[in-house]
Amino acid sequence: MIHDRVIEKMFDILEGSFEPSYMDQAALRLLSEACANYARQGFAATPFVELGGGACILATRCGTVKTTTLAMALGASGFQITQHDGFLLVETGDADHSLGQVLSAMAYEEMPDLFTHAPNLVFEKYHPYLTPDLLKLDALSTRVDAGCLQKLCADLQEYTSDRIGLKPS
């Protein structure tokens, strides 16, 4: 679980020229390579990078809880999602609408049922012994922030108009 502040600092480092004094030369080369790739992909200007074939990378710029919430919401809308720290790989999957349409709907309309696509909710040692209802309650109390979804989608959907063509096939 990564806090929003840690992800914020990660993006500050990727967009800056900060070289921590505690890093050796090999680590500094890797950091420089990461910053160059980040800039080359264009994430400083937009949170979306199209990969082609109905896929894009979405920089949420949020920690694990908010990113997981968005991943679950997009999954409930039919998209195939792979989650990384502060990023989502979004593939059209079974989606009926474009990513921009889905983000707009979630920003200004009702929230989708995050559990409709049966996401894996077994995260902890004793989770296999819990009922599905208890797993949902646990996810809502520790791993999901339903209250953040509308603002996050509103912030992201501003970039989708005319900038991303991720549409279902």
Side-chain angles (χ1 to χ4, degrees):
M1 300 278 284
I2 300 174
H3 193 275
D4 287 347
R5 179 66 184 116
V6 174
I7 295 293
E8 181 182 325
K9 185 64 176 171
M10 178 183 83
F11 279 94
D12 287 347
I13 290 171
L14 287 171
E15 293 172 354
S17 57
F18 179 66
E19 291 187 354
S21 59
Y22 55 82
M23 287 186 157
D24 63 14
Q25 289 304 309
L28 287 172
R29 275 193 312 277
L30 289 172
L31 176 60
S32 175
E33 182 180 325
C35 292
N37 285 327
Y38 178 85
R40 188 177 69 246
Q41 293 295 325
F43 282 115
T46 179
F48 298 95
V49 171
E50 288 191 72
L51 301 176
C56 79
I57 297 174
L58 167 59
T60 65
R61 294 180 169 262
C62 297
T64 304
V65 172
K66 290 178 182 175
T67 301
T68 299
T69 303
L70 180 58
M72 290 176 70
L74 291 174
S77 297
F79 291 96
Q80 298 283 61
I81 306 296
T82 306
Q83 186 171 338
H84 304 278
D85 300 336
F87 295 90
L88 294 175
L89 171 60
V90 181
E91 299 174 89
T92 54
D94 296 328
D96 293 329
H97 301 287
S98 72
L99 181 57
Q101 291 169 327
V102 170
L103 288 173
S104 183
M106 287 191 288
Y108 301 109
E109 297 172 13
E110 62 188 58
M111 189 170 91
D113 178 1
L114 299 176
F115 304 103
T116 192
H117 64 294
N120 181 11
L121 300 177
V122 177
F123 300 110
E124 303 293 341
K125 180 179 177 179
Y126 295 105
H127 278 176
Y129 305 106
L130 298 179
T131 65
D133 288 339
L134 286 175
L135 286 171
K136 287 178 187 178
L137 285 173
D138 180 65
L140 288 169
S141 69
T142 59
R143 299 208 178 251
V144 176
D145 179 8
C148 79
L149 190 59
Q150 281 191 315
K151 181 178 179 344
L152 180 56
C153 289
D155 292 346
L156 290 171
Q157 71 93 34
E158 290 179 17
Y159 291 93
T160 62
S161 59
D162 302 327
R163 292 190 184 159
I164 185 156
L166 184 59
K167 296 183 174 106
S169 307

